Amino acid sequence: MLLEDHADDSVLSTVIGVAKKAGELIAASWGQAKGFDCKDGHSTDLVTQTDRQVEQFIFERLKAFYPKHLFIGEEGVDEASVQLSDAPTWVVDPIDGTTNFIHNFDQTAISIALCVNKRAIVGVIYNPIRKELYYATQGGGAFLERYGNDAVRLTTSSTDDLKRSLVSIELGAAHGEADKLNEKWQNQMFPLLNHPIHGLRQLGAATMNFMAVARGCVEAYIESGLKPWDMAAGELIVREAGGVITMIDDENEPFRLTGKQVIASCNQQISQSIHRVLNSE
């Protein structure tokens, strides 16, 4: 099965259309008070009715075009049983940054990726509030379209000095994990917190953090506890923008969607610098 059979312009156009229509559901409830549930009793892992509606809408639309493909979505699966295969699989996060969505903080987005052989070959991320559409195909580059204007090609930052870098890092709750694991994660990041860099940012949504790297706004993004739907589209877009994705525990380990701790960097030099800092103590 050739990747080119799936990553063509017609697939990308279809996904962009679905993402934009799904974004209307999010925009319709923006600025309103929102009810929510806590997943499995975790007070920081939230879901709204809009999450469920958007995922159902995306799945129904995509299945009409690609009935033989597999589908994985954040709201429709048991996280412990997620199994990625080599078959064409749509990996969807209907609202990444649900907590942001609930609080009307505009760093929230839809993430849709088509994966083959467990890697994304088409990725679309759409923030319907900021009207920002990010997309990439394998080997075709990464692009940003804002407010319907012509798309511009994305390129990561050229900075190669960590001391002159802005870094995005999520230090909040590790969703679905015990508090002690979150404490371990924060301790693991402690050397970086004390390292002289330009500053730290926390956007509260994996997609928006990945896109900050792809746009060249930050030099790196680091997070633990990620799921396939958090990363699939974002990893592809960063990679096509010239970035580097590595696993925190081993910079030489190939990226995998089933990994939980990743570093998205603008280039190899920044990636290596972060690994040295994290392993310095």
Side-chain angles (χ1 to χ4, degrees):
M1 182 178 297
L2 297 176
L3 299 184
E4 290 79 2
D5 293 339
H6 304 278
D8 59 16
D9 290 342
S10 65
V11 176
L12 178 62
S13 178
T14 297
V15 182
I16 288 175
V18 170
K20 286 185 174 181
K21 290 297 292 185
E24 294 176 8
L25 298 174
I26 297 174
S29 60
W30 190 255
Q32 303 175 16
K34 305 171 186 70
F36 59 87
D37 298 320
C38 301
K39 296 181 185 178
D40 299 323
H42 296 288
S43 62
T44 56
D45 199 358
L46 310 178
V47 60
T48 69
Q49 186 59 33
T50 306
D51 288 83
R52 300 184 179 101
Q53 290 174 343
V54 171
E55 181 168 292
Q56 181 179 0
F57 175 88
I58 292 171
F59 278 10
E60 288 178 351
R61 288 297 180 95
L62 289 178
K63 286 178 180 179
F65 287 100
Y66 310 105
K68 295 182 179 180
H69 288 187
L70 303 179
F71 289 80
I72 294 176
E74 178 178 10
E75 309 309 335
V77 300
D78 176 1
E79 293 183 10
S81 64
V82 172
Q83 294 290 332
L84 277 170
S85 71
D86 290 338
T89 304
W90 292 95
V91 180
V92 174
D93 193 339
I95 303 181
D96 183 46
T98 295
T99 301
N100 288 350
F101 173 64
I102 291 169
H103 289 272
N104 298 309
F105 180 49
D106 63 4
Q107 297 292 333
T108 186
I110 295 166
S111 178
I112 306 175
L114 173 60
C115 298
V116 176
N117 298 327
K118 304 183 182 70
R119 293 294 296 271
I121 60 170
V122 176
V124 171
I125 289 174
Y126 181 52
N127 182 328
I129 309 306
R130 298 172 63 93
K131 296 292 189 293
E132 294 175 346
L133 173 72
Y134 302 85
Y135 60 88
T137 57
Q138 182 169 277
F143 298 86
L144 167 62
E145 172 195 302
R146 299 193 68 197
Y147 293 98
N149 295 323
D150 290 343
V152 296
R153 189 155 189 157
L154 295 175
T155 304
T156 57
S157 169
S158 60
T159 301
D160 59 8
D161 184 354
L162 185 57
K163 292 182 180 180
R164 301 182 59 178
S165 297
L166 194 62
V167 177
S168 183
I169 182 171
E170 296 293 335
L171 292 173
H175 293 177
E177 299 181 18
D179 289 341
K180 63 181 181 181
L181 294 181
N182 190 46
E183 182 179 355
K184 178 182 177 182
W185 160 244
Q186 293 184 19
N187 289 337
Q188 187 178 9
M189 292 299 104
F190 190 76
L192 181 64
L193 302 182
N194 287 283
H195 192 77
I197 59 176
H198 275 183
L200 293 171
R201 296 295 181 266
Q202 181 167 300
L203 300 179
T207 51
M208 295 292 90
N209 285 310
F210 275 118
M211 294 307 93
V213 176
R215 292 175 64 179
C217 299
V218 304
E219 278 64 44
Y221 159 50
I222 310 172
E223 189 165 1
S224 175
L226 293 172
K227 304 296 191 299
W229 44 82
D230 297 317
M231 299 185 286
E235 183 270 339
L236 173 64
I237 296 171
V238 169
R239 178 160 41 94
E240 287 295 325
V244 175
I245 313 290
T246 57
M247 312 307 293
I248 289 177
D249 292 335
D250 184 356
E251 65 178 304
N252 296 313
E253 182 181 355
F255 170 80
R256 63 186 188 283
L257 275 176
T258 53
K260 294 181 179 295
Q261 297 185 328
V262 301
I263 302 173
S265 305
C266 59
N267 53 50
Q268 194 67 44
Q269 293 93 324
I270 293 297
S271 178
Q272 291 172 347
S273 295
I274 292 175
H275 278 282
R276 283 196 296 269
V277 171
L278 296 182
N279 293 317
S280 64
E281 296 184 10

